[in-house]
């Protein structure tokens, strides 16, 4: 049996941690104190890693997923970003069979062209009348869409008022999925950032307001919230929000926050990074 | 009530790839905890780990047509997860990483069972040593030690030979050992 060098032994040690049996490695370790000590130390650490606690996902993650899947399977919402991208088929060779139908004689060519013109005019006039009728139907569809949007808005607002934090989270998620946010919904989300007792709802509301970060009123509300918040996570999320929105007017607010005593060190670091980003 | 689904992940995902999204529900049931733990070990914080897990399932739906019939579902899933993590890292490159679940500990006055456990001396140091490794090395330890994947599977996911994976896992463990002992000395002095 070939004996391993120290280098070869190191290259195969990880296999033993995964339960592999390597006789050549065992032989090498028996005769090499250095490698045996290294193997023992690292194996002990490998074992100890198994004692690290196992983290568990929150219920909110499941709720969020179930809502997403429900909306996708019910076909209520099929965002373009989730639609399967079709594979473009290879282009077929262009067919030229229709060319055989075109007469060779110029007199016949003129006659066919005239017929086509008459046919086109008839279709065009008929389509005009049809489109006029269709316009009324389109107005109706637009009105229905507005009603649906307004119902969604009501649902979002109603969920944001619920006592249960999970329901309020649903409300935030719902409002985030709306194609455009109405002022009432924006206001409700700003209120959630400022007043909601649950940190997760506040964080989710900040995320949702990312859609309207170009609104100066929203940005100034986020600056005000930054001063009022005492949760480090929310403070950090607000700082990120203002950086993502490139809100240079926030530099003063962020500096005011940093000037306070007892600011969380991580928030302080993030604030320093934000000031540096916004000042560029 | 949830019904028992005897289909394999591969069968479920093949159906999803054909357009039957209902199968995603069962795939989520089977895989969301493992994915969440994978991300938690990488980012060290609850909320981003949950966001990244959610994103993986969305990408599974979005890119379902890329699922190949001869492919191992788990390898495909982890390839998506690695891409999601790479995008996250790119986006938050300049952020200070959370250590020992620092933000969560500050947020709630009462520690969760997880936090209580990592507060124990050695566990806390080990947790921190893992957190301080470069992303690629931490990822290898997480995949091999915590996610229960074989080196062969990790090779398929990362695009390396099995032998290369073993060498890299060894190096990652060696570096972790060095970081752990440095932290221990720092704590003792």
């Amino acid at each position: 049996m070939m004996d391993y060098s120290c280098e070869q032994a190191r290259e195969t040690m990880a296999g033993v941690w995964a339960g592999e049996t390597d006789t050549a490695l065992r032989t090498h370790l028996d005769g090499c104190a250095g490698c045996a000590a290294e193997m023992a130390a690292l194996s002990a650490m490998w074992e100890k890693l198994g004692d690290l606690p196992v983290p568990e996902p929150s219920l909110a993650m499941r709720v969020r997923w179930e809502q997403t899947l429900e909306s996708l399977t019910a076909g209520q919402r099929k965002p373009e970003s989730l639609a399967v991208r079709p594979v473009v088929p290879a282009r077929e060779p262009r067919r030229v069979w229709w060319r055989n139908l075109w007469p060779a004689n110029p007199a016949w060519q003129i006659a066919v062209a005239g017929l086509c013109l008459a046919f086109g005019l008839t279709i065009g006039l008929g389509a005009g009348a049809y489109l006029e009728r269709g316009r009324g139907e389109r107005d109706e569809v637009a009105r229905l869409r507005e009603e649906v949007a307004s119902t969604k808005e009501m649902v979002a607002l109603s969920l944001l008022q619920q006592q249960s934090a999970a329901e309020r989270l649903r409300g935030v998620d719902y409002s985030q999925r709306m194609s455009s946010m109405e002022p009432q919904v924006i206001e409700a989300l700003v209120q959630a950032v400022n007043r909601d007792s649950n940190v997760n709802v506040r964080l989710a509301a900040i995320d949702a307001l990312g859609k309207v970060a170009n609104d100066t009123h929203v940005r100034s509300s986020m600056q005000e919230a930054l001063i009022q918040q005492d949760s480090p996570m929310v403070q950090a999320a607000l700082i990120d929000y203002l950086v993502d929105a490139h809100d240079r007017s926030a530099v003063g607010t962020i500096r005011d926050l940093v000037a306070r005593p007892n600011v969380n060190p991580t928030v302080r670091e993030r604030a320093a990074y934000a000031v540096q980003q916004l000042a560029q | 009530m949830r019904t028992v689904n005897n289909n394999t992940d591969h069968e479920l995902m093949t159906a999803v790839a054909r357009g039957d999204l209902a199968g995603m529900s069962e795939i989520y049931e089977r895989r969301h905890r493992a994915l969440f733990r994978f991300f938690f070990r990488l980012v060290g914080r609850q909320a981003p780990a949950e966001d990244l897990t959610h994103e993986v399932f969305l990408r599974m739906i979005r890119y379902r047509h890329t699922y190949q019939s001869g492919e191992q579902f788990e390898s495909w899933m982890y390839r998506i997860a690695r891409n999601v993590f790479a995008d996250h890292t790119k986006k938050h490159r300049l952020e200070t990483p959370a250590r020992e679940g620092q933000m969560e500990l500050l947020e709630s006055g009462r520690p969760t069972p997880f936090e209580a456990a990592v507060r124990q001396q050695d566990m806390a140091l080990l947790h921190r040593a893992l957190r301080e490794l470069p992303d690629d090395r931490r990822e290898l330890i997480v995949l091999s030690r915590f996610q229960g994947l074989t080196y062969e599977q990790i090779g398929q996911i990362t695009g390396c030979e099995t032998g290369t994976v073993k060498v890299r896992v060894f190096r990652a463990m060696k570096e972790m050992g060095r970081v752990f002992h440095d932290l221990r000395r720092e704590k003792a002095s």
Side-chain angles (χ1 to χ4, degrees), chain A residues 7 10-18 20 38 41-43 45-66 68-69 72-73 78 80-87 199-200 202-203 207 230-234 236 240 244 264-267 269-270 273 277, chain B residues 2 17 21-22 24-25 28-29 32-33 36-37 40-41 45-47 49-51 53-54 57-59 61-65 91-92 94-97 102-104 106-107 113-114 117-118 122-124 126-127 130 141 144-146 151 162-163 165-167 169-171 173-174 176-177 180-181 184:
Chain A
E7 190 57 37
R10 287 188 190 115
E11 283 175 7
T12 50
M13 280 180 191
V16 176
W17 301 330
E20 293 173 12
E38 186 162 42
L42 294 181
S43 299
M45 181 159 288
W46 182 265
E47 283 304 310
K48 210 186 274 182
L49 278 172
D51 295 336
L52 275 177
V54 180
E56 286 297 331
S58 74
L59 189 62
M61 187 176 100
R62 175 185 287 280
V63 171
R64 184 176 167 198
W65 165 251
E66 282 176 356
T68 305
L69 189 62
L72 289 171
T73 47
K78 201 167 187 175
E80 208 171 284
S81 62
L82 289 176
V84 168
R85 293 173 180 181
V87 178
V199 171
N200 289 335
R202 276 183 271 160
L203 289 171
D207 275 352
D230 51 10
S231 153
M233 273 205 291
V234 178
D240 287 349
D244 288 345
N264 174 271
T266 308
V267 173
E269 277 176 28
R270 196 168 298 209
Y273 165 70
Q277 288 292 302
Chain B
R2 287 178 207 290
L21 293 191
M24 279 308 295
S25 181
Y28 182 87
E29 275 311 312
H32 78 281
R33 280 192 190 81
F36 165 78
R37 287 168 189 158
F40 189 94
R41 302 280 187 212
R45 287 161 62 194
Q46 184 89 12
E50 291 190 353
D51 285 348
T53 307
H54 190 78
F57 286 102
L58 288 182
R59 287 199 195 181
I61 295 175
R62 183 175 169 186
Y63 296 110
R64 59 190 185 266
H65 61 293
K91 198 173 161 192
H92 300 271
L94 296 171
E95 282 184 10
T96 312
Q102 190 176 19
M103 299 287 275
E104 277 87 351
L106 284 163
E107 183 55 34
F114 178 83
V118 292
D122 255 17
M123 284 294 110
L126 198 61
H127 185 64
L130 184 64
I141 293 180
S144 56
R145 183 66 181 96
F146 299 107
Y151 294 136
T162 308
V165 175
K166 281 186 197 174
V167 174
V169 169
F170 169 77
R171 287 183 188 153
M173 282 300 292
K174 198 172 170 182
M176 191 174 152
F180 178 77
H181 290 298
R184 204 182 228 176

